[in-house]
Amino acid sequence: MAKLSDPIQIGQVGVKNRLFSGPVVSNWGNYWGGVTDTVLEGYEMRARGGFGLVTVEATTISSRTNNFSHMLELSHQKHACDFNKIAQVVHRWGAKVVVQLQHGGRQSNPSVCDPEVWGDCTPLAPSKETPPCPDRPPLREMTPEQIEEVISDFVRGSTLAKNARFDGVLFHYTHGFLGHQFLSPWLNRRTDKWGIQDGKYLFCTEIIRRSREAVGSSFILGARIPAEDNLDAVSEMINPAAGPTENCLTIDRTADQIAPQLADAGLDYLEVTTAVLETCHAQIPPLYYPRGTFIKYAERIRKNVSVPVVSGGKVCDPLLAARWVEDDRVDAVFMARPALADPDSPRKFFSGRREEIRQCIFCDHCTTDLFNQREIKCAINPDIGSIKFQPMRETSKPKKVLVVGGGVGGMEAARLADLTGHDVTLCEKQSDLGGMVKGASSLKRFYTRDLANMIDWQKHQLSKSSIKIELNTEVSVDTVKKVKPDVVIVATGAYFDGSDIKGSDQPIVTRLDSYVIGGAEIEERVVIIGGAIGAEPALSLAREGKEVTILEEGPQLGDLVESAYASGIASGPWMYLFRTLYVIDEITKEKNAHVLTEIKIREITPTGVKIADNTGKDQTIDADTVIIATDHKPNNTLKEALAGVVPEIYEVGDCIKPGRIKDAIYSAHNVVRNQLNEEIMFREV
């Protein structure tokens, strides 16, 4: 029985363990696709952290096929020097390294391709009938000559990677990129030899065969392959041409035909994921999906091939990876987003310190940054990327610090202040730490548990500190006067007001924060005012058996999607849009859940909510409980009251402006590392 810590043979290369870092496009490169110091630091962190195999992110083989503005490129000898630097920093820690080679095809993004520099940027596709992406210009069918040119580009990329002293390459044949397009009958409708004739997949196998001839037998060739296209109701909302169809890629086709052919063409290993651009919710599993979402696909494929099969999908805990390997379901497991949250995950796990791992919360802040053409940042790990806070060093001027509020922002501020040498007291008015994040992670019958990963880690860190924690303690001005701190850090969060709604003081009304944090009693007939934030608790309550109606004064669902397209997928909130559409689709499956949009709230009464529907007609929605999930306001009265009472006052988190978990975490780092410990910045200059 293999173990996660056991070495594994990939072709002729031995890898020290079976926990791999998966590829995540970072936008940390430069405009020309070159490797920056930030790129080097990121991959060295993962190698130093103990990953057996480090996979460098999707790297284009041609500037004309970029998807992101600062994507890495491996298309010319000038790139090999840069990539050799990555190989050096990875190898010094005993890890092996491969680079993922990619061509965008129909998903290439002309908005990040300069035709004056790189020539024609029209997206290429296998066939003229290939459905275009919803935010892309018309496609151009590849000629046989262009197909041969692209195959040569892949071979050249493999050769350059070998010259750069990489251990191998991973062909990007999934996530809807060009390799996937030639494998899927939904996307490849050619009738010549490059089509899917008699179940043959010549384009992808030729890349492998010719690359093997070019690089020899000692160099790793792998392929990341799709289990399915995953076309569903959500993808149809994104692109009407991407609705469910029988003419698409299925796991049976991948397992029985594609995987064996690719392996026989000369591959050393397969890495299994799934989905196309329109099914991003499947390829980048959101918070709501179970951990290890791709493992079931890998297990099916593994039965039909003799090469190692690697997979993952929402793997934040190496303990699960260890079980999948020990149960012989997969040969190795990759961690992608979680390797950003904590690059030291393998080292901590293998040394028996699993509780020290800062596990990913799958909030998709990183991928949303990427689709907005920014360099990625991690919501819970501010120490990756090019923009950083001041280094953590012990202060020469310890202060008495009072942190008010025990949500993620308050806990992070307390943790950092303690680490830098201050005398810290943390007060929380509830009976437990975690605030809104803890409440949101505890929704019944709705998988948001991974949000609590950050809270669990913070609590563990606080348990090792000298911080004095006082629960069930509401801080007032008098409290502060008695404690006499040098510094007060206010982390009192936000609240849902709704006072501008007539009847908001009715006994049947509760605010979303009172429900999520305080556990307010919810009766059988529920009306939730505000669908943007209220959709998740609505789905949870509906699955509990409550009769739920969401009232949203905003646009219809179709308008929401259209507005995203209008701003361009590359510049819109793409991943959050997918999450929203997924939740809405799930709500439509609940017979006891109803959504009313484009309405006007008239009044909350003792028995329900009076509204005007989208035709202007008045009606009443009966309710036993009304939850207000709108008018999110900062709870900042304490700071105002403390003016002149304490020498230094800072705010972190939602009490500044209601935002996301990343905003709370980063504001805490900014306060402690850049402001509270300001003298540290000048001590060593």
Side-chain angles (χ1 to χ4, degrees):
M1 179 180 67
K3 294 184 178 180
L4 192 66
S5 57
D6 288 345
I8 184 173
Q9 194 74 15
I10 306 291
Q12 296 184 21
V13 177
V15 179
K16 65 181 179 180
N17 64 54
R18 296 169 184 247
L19 195 55
F20 299 175
S21 78
V24 179
V25 178
S26 65
N27 251 354
W28 292 345
N30 62 33
Y31 180 75
W32 304 102
V35 173
T36 62
D37 289 344
T38 304
V39 171
L40 289 176
E41 181 187 42
Y43 287 110
E44 183 165 16
M45 289 171 69
R46 279 167 265 196
R48 184 178 63 231
F51 286 101
L53 180 71
V54 174
T55 306
V56 173
E57 62 205 74
T59 297
T60 185
I61 56 170
S62 169
S63 302
R64 289 171 292 178
T65 76
N66 274 359
N67 291 89
F68 306 104
S69 60
H70 286 62
M71 200 170 183
L72 298 182
E73 183 173 342
L74 192 54
S75 64
H76 190 276
Q77 187 60 45
K78 67 181 180 181
H79 296 119
C81 179
D82 272 356
F83 275 80
N84 177 249
K85 297 174 185 177
I86 300 177
Q88 290 187 59
V89 299
V90 171
H91 285 154
R92 70 169 54 160
W93 298 100
K96 305 302 182 185
V97 61
V98 300
V99 58
Q100 185 182 48
L101 298 181
Q102 181 243 25
H103 186 297
R106 74 187 275 268
Q107 294 178 186
S108 300
N109 189 349
S111 71
V112 297
C113 175
D114 186 346
E116 294 185 3
V117 178
W118 289 302
D120 189 356
C121 298
T122 304
L124 299 176
S127 53
K128 60 184 178 181
E129 295 87 2
T130 298
C133 296
D135 68 327
R136 303 290 193 260
L139 304 173
R140 187 173 64 194
E141 179 180 271
M142 297 175 72
T143 65
E145 292 75 19
Q146 287 171 327
I147 291 175
E148 290 286 350
E149 179 184 351
V150 170
I151 292 174
S152 296
D153 288 344
F154 273 104
V155 175
R156 180 182 60 203
S158 301
T159 304
L160 290 171
K162 183 178 181 180
N163 291 343
R165 297 294 187 267
F166 268 60
D167 299 292
V169 298
L170 180 69
F171 298 122
H172 202 346
Y173 287 170
T174 185
H175 297 176
F177 296 115
L178 188 62
H180 186 153
Q181 291 161 37
F182 272 92
L183 296 175
S184 167
W186 177 61
L187 296 168
N188 182 1
R189 305 182 188 182
R190 297 181 74 99
T191 56
D192 62 4
K193 68 177 183 178
W194 301 109
I196 303 173
Q197 308 303 327
D198 302 319
K200 304 298 183 184
Y201 302 89
L202 184 61
F203 176 77
C204 291
T205 55
E206 276 296 284
I207 290 172
I208 297 166
R209 185 183 65 79
R210 297 184 198 180
S211 294
R212 178 58 73 199
E213 291 177 353
V215 299
S217 60
S218 62
F219 189 72
I220 295 174
L221 294 183
R224 202 173 221 221
I225 65 171
E228 298 183 325
D229 287 332
N230 297 98
L231 304 181
D232 60 11
V234 174
S235 61
E236 192 170 18
M237 296 178 202
I238 297 295
N239 181 1
T245 175
E246 294 181 1
N247 187 36
C248 65
L249 186 61
T250 64
I251 183 58
D252 288 339
R253 181 187 289 266
T254 299
D256 297 338
Q257 296 180 12
I258 294 173
Q261 287 185 42
L262 299 184
D264 291 344
L267 285 184
D268 295 308
Y269 78 108
L270 288 166
E271 192 168 280
V272 179
T273 64
T274 197
V276 296
L277 176 67
E278 290 92 337
T279 51
C280 256
H281 54 294
Q283 69 172 262
I284 307 174
L287 174 67
Y288 320 120
Y289 276 38
R291 296 175 179 178
T293 55
F294 307 145
I295 298 297
K296 63 180 182 293
Y297 296 132
E299 190 173 17
R300 171 80 168 81
I301 290 168
R302 191 166 175 261
K303 296 175 181 178
N304 291 5
V305 297
S306 58
V307 298
V309 175
V310 183
S311 196
K314 271 199 74 183
V315 183
C316 57
D317 187 351
L319 181 62
L320 293 175
R323 289 174 181 168
W324 295 323
V325 170
E326 290 173 10
D327 291 344
D328 202 31
R329 300 182 65 191
V330 68
D331 295 293
V333 177
F334 67 78
M335 298 174 70
R337 289 170 291 175
L340 300 175
D342 195 340
D344 292 328
S345 295
R347 182 168 55 85
K348 292 175 180 178
F349 180 72
F350 292 137
S351 62
R353 297 182 294 125
R354 173 173 165 254
E355 72 281 357
E356 293 287 342
I357 298 172
R358 178 167 44 196
Q359 295 186 20
C360 179
I361 60 174
F362 304 105
C363 65
D364 279 316
H365 179 81
C366 56
T367 49
T368 297
D369 273 344
L370 179 63
F371 279 94
N372 278 280
Q373 299 301 340
R374 299 188 291 260
E375 75 161 34
I376 65 171
K377 295 290 290 183
C378 175
I380 61 175
N381 180 8
D383 289 320
I384 64 163
S386 63
I387 307 300
K388 293 182 172 63
F389 297 101
Q390 292 298 312
M392 291 286 291
R393 300 191 183 99
E394 188 171 357
T395 181
S396 60
K397 300 177 182 178
K399 299 176 182 178
K400 188 176 183 180
V401 178
L402 174 64
V403 180
V404 184
V408 292
M411 283 194 285
E412 192 72 353
R415 181 182 76 86
L416 296 170
D418 175 76
L419 286 174
T420 51
H422 298 287
D423 178 13
V424 183
T425 299
L426 172 62
C427 293
E428 166 56 47
K429 70 178 181 179
Q430 301 293 333
S431 60
D432 196 6
L433 300 172
M436 276 291 289
V437 176
K438 177 180 180 294
S441 71
S442 304
L443 293 175
K444 299 177 182 178
R445 294 179 174 82
F446 188 50
Y447 194 89
T448 53
R449 171 64 184 82
D450 281 318
L451 286 176
N453 292 344
M454 185 59 178
I455 298 170
D456 295 341
W457 181 81
Q458 287 178 316
K459 284 183 176 180
H460 177 71
Q461 299 305 310
L462 296 186
S463 72
K464 302 187 301 179
S465 73
S466 58
I467 298 170
K468 296 177 285 292
I469 300 175
E470 299 181 8
L471 301 176
N472 300 305
T473 302
E474 187 162 2
V475 174
S476 65
V477 174
D478 289 340
T479 307
V480 175
K481 288 179 178 179
K482 290 178 183 178
V483 175
K484 296 181 180 179
D486 302 306
V487 179
V488 173
I489 299 177
V490 181
T492 46
Y495 66 101
F496 293 85
D497 185 15
S499 59
D500 58 338
I501 301 175
K502 186 178 180 181
S504 61
D505 56 349
Q506 291 287 352
I508 67 170
V509 173
T510 187
R511 271 66 178 174
L512 184 60
D513 47 306
S514 298
Y515 163 55
V516 171
I517 301 177
E521 189 69 26
I522 305 299
E523 301 296 336
E524 294 306 306
R525 297 177 301 171
V526 185
V527 168
I528 298 180
I529 298 176
I533 298 177
E536 291 178 357
L539 181 55
S540 174
L541 289 167
R543 288 176 174 174
E544 285 184 56
K546 311 290 187 184
E547 190 74 24
V548 180
T549 302
I550 299 175
L551 301 180
E552 173 57 59
E553 294 189 333
Q556 295 279 4
L557 176 60
D559 296 332
L560 174 66
V561 178
E562 279 187 22
S563 66
Y565 291 158
S567 62
I569 287 176
S571 61
W574 193 226
M575 290 310 301
Y576 292 128
L577 173 62
F578 269 105
R579 285 174 55 176
T580 300
L581 297 183
Y582 170 80
V583 174
I584 291 174
D585 183 55
E586 290 296 303
I587 287 174
T588 62
K589 298 174 184 176
E590 301 295 326
K591 295 181 179 179
N592 53 327
H594 316 279
V595 180
L596 299 178
T597 59
E598 293 186 317
I599 55 91
K600 180 68 176 175
I601 306 293
R602 299 291 196 198
E603 178 184 7
I604 301 173
T605 73
T607 59
V609 182
K610 291 183 178 180
I611 66 168
D613 65 20
N614 55 16
T615 68
K617 182 180 178 181
D618 288 339
Q619 61 175 292
T620 297
I621 310 298
D622 295 333
D624 307 308
T625 299
V626 175
I627 299 175
I628 293 178
T630 60
D631 204 11
H632 207 188
K633 292 183 177 180
N635 189 5
N636 53 15
T637 56
L638 182 60
K639 181 187 177 183
E640 297 171 358
L642 288 176
V645 176
V646 67
E648 294 182 62
I649 308 172
Y650 303 99
E651 290 180 300
V652 302
D654 285 355
C655 68
I656 303 172
K657 179 183 179 181
R660 302 186 185 278
I661 292 174
K662 181 259 184 182
D663 302 316
I665 297 295
Y666 279 54
S667 64
H669 281 259
N670 184 50
V671 162
V672 178
R673 296 168 69 169
N674 288 359
Q675 299 179 53
L676 177 60
N677 294 325
E678 186 177 2
E679 89 283 353
I680 291 176
M681 289 189 281
F682 304 101
R683 191 191 315 163
E684 298 182 2
V685 173

